[in-house]
Amino acid sequence: MTEFGFIDKLGEIFATIGSQHGFEGIGDDCAVLPLTGGDTLVFTTDMLVEDVHFLREATSPYDLGRKSLAVNLSDVAAMGAKPIATLSSISVPKELMGEWLNDFMRGYRDLSAEHSVALIGGDTTGSKSGKFTINVTAIGRCPQSCLKRRAAAKVGDAIYVTGSLGGSGAGLKDILDGKFDTELAMLHKNPTPRIAEGEWLGAQSSVNAMMDISDGIGSDLRHILKLSNVGAEVELRSIPIYNELVTLEQALSAGEDYELLFTASSDFDPLSAPFAVTAIGKITAGEGIKWLSDGTATTLEFRGFNHY
Ligand code: ADP
Ligand code: MG
């Protein structure tokens, strides 16, 4: 069973339980709860596990604290919402109780303060395995009219990404090669969630579908396509690659860039965005991704990160 096969199954077997509470649940970057009065709350949770998501010797506790929050705030931004609060649950080996954990929480606190996000609860337990784990739940809020769902892409939309891609993936390669402090490794260890960008894009009625890029667009764009029942053409020459040290494969499939991937109608003017936005393709009738190189169809082997 794959990660996404498991998630699809969860959606099926839990589909009707608790449906009276009015949540839109599994499948998007966040679950959605409409409030009376026109606003919406969104909820998401993401876990960082030692040796799966990070190597303790390769990262400072401060950066890890920031990243564990950043990846969750990114999912809130991906809905067009503003993050307002988090809960954090940690499993901590005894030898990290003290300076290490203080530095970790300082990183978490600094990023919380930068975005005025309250810490409202969590849980603290020991760890018999000697490994550190953190799970964060983030809550966001926005007007219902600003919500951007993965399922909302329309045939004819242009496909855009914020910022540039592949820097984090190339940084992970540096880390695995034992180079922990390169510019690219720092990008991987301390990603910037696109909070203001997500809120700004949420307010644009011409923006249709949106998600954040955690697994690489080779995988993430397929979620938008599947849920929207559409296909896509993507021009490889248009992919904004972080720099010349980064490969196209890393830009498409290494993931953890935490940029925003969105589709928008022709009313959207990318030059009106107060941040970098690049058009990489268009939404088509049909299914799956058709890769183009200078307009000519080409096949690609790599797909994106999957845990199994
Ligand atoms: P993201 O990368 O945006 O965090 P994921 O790919 O991790 O999203 O998850 C896709 C969807 O599946 C999300 O809606 C998420 O909440 C849901 N999901 C993943 N794992 C579980 C789980 N164990 N139980 C319930 N829902 C899950
Ligand atoms: Mg996401």
Side-chain angles (χ1 to χ4, degrees):
M1 184 158 60
T2 65
E3 179 185 349
F4 296 118
F6 169 71
I7 292 170
D8 286 347
K9 193 159 189 77
L10 273 179
E12 282 164 32
I13 63 179
F14 284 85
T16 56
I17 303 175
S19 56
Q20 69 273 25
H21 304 304
F23 281 88
E24 269 172 49
I26 295 174
D28 219 312
D29 292 287
C30 291
V32 170
L33 180 66
L35 302 174
T36 49
D39 267 12
T40 292
L41 290 179
V42 300
F43 303 84
T44 183
T45 192
D46 252 310
M47 180 157 60
L48 295 188
V49 178
E50 184 173 343
D51 293 346
V52 177
H53 298 96
F54 64 92
L55 299 173
R56 208 198 306 152
E57 68 271 25
T59 186
S60 69
Y62 180 87
D63 283 341
L64 190 63
R66 289 184 70 97
K67 182 169 181 174
S68 60
L69 177 60
V71 301
N72 280 277
L73 300 187
S74 177
D75 277 323
V76 171
M79 301 301 294
K82 182 186 182 65
I84 57 174
T86 65
L87 299 104
S88 81
S89 297
I90 50 181
S91 169
V92 194
K94 194 162 182 223
E95 70 270 21
L96 301 186
M97 291 300 287
E99 199 185 339
W100 192 96
L101 191 60
N102 287 340
D103 285 347
F104 175 88
M105 287 317 300
R106 207 164 43 81
Y108 194 107
R109 186 196 172 280
D110 282 357
L111 188 59
S112 299
E114 284 165 30
H115 298 289
S116 302
V117 177
L119 177 65
I120 58 166
D123 196 17
T124 305
T125 76
S127 164
K128 289 275 191 269
S129 66
K131 305 291 179 190
F132 179 80
T133 300
I134 174 157
N135 182 74
V136 173
T137 299
I139 304 168
R141 184 170 187 147
C142 69
Q144 275 164 44
S145 58
C146 292
L147 265 185
K148 303 299 179 192
R149 295 173 176 83
R150 295 179 179 185
K154 294 193 173 60
V155 174
D157 280 1
I159 305 169
Y160 297 94
V161 290
T162 61
S164 63
L165 302 178
S168 174
L172 174 60
K173 181 170 182 304
D174 281 355
I175 290 168
L176 295 176
D177 289 344
K179 294 178 280 181
F180 299 158
D181 296 315
T182 64
E183 178 194 337
L184 295 170
M186 293 313 295
L187 267 187
H188 181 81
K189 293 190 286 184
N190 190 3
T192 304
R194 300 303 182 194
I195 313 281
E197 292 84 344
E199 229 188 319
W200 188 89
L201 290 164
Q204 310 304 308
S205 56
S206 54
V207 171
N208 288 324
M210 184 153 72
M211 70 182 295
D212 69 332
I213 304 177
S214 53
D215 296 337
I217 58 168
S219 168
D220 290 329
L221 179 57
R222 282 176 219 277
H223 296 305
I224 287 181
L225 302 183
K226 199 170 156 204
L227 290 171
S228 304
N229 292 311
V230 294
E233 285 180 359
V234 175
E235 174 52 62
L236 296 172
R237 306 253 174 202
S238 302
I239 302 292
I241 298 179
Y242 182 76
N243 69 16
E244 67 291 344
L245 299 173
V246 177
T247 66
L248 178 64
E249 175 167 359
Q250 285 164 339
L252 294 180
S253 65
E256 295 217 56
D257 289 308
Y258 299 105
E259 295 293 349
L260 298 173
L261 170 67
F262 63 98
T263 80
S265 71
S266 56
D267 294 340
F268 179 74
D269 174 9
L271 294 177
S272 68
F275 46 86
V277 159
T278 306
I280 59 165
K282 65 174 191 226
I283 297 294
T284 60
E287 59 180 48
I289 305 175
K290 186 172 166 191
W291 302 102
L292 304 175
S293 184
D294 265 340
T296 306
T298 176
T299 47
L300 285 182
E301 297 304 322
F302 33 88
R303 287 196 141 230
F305 185 77
N306 187 319
H307 276 280
Y308 298 97

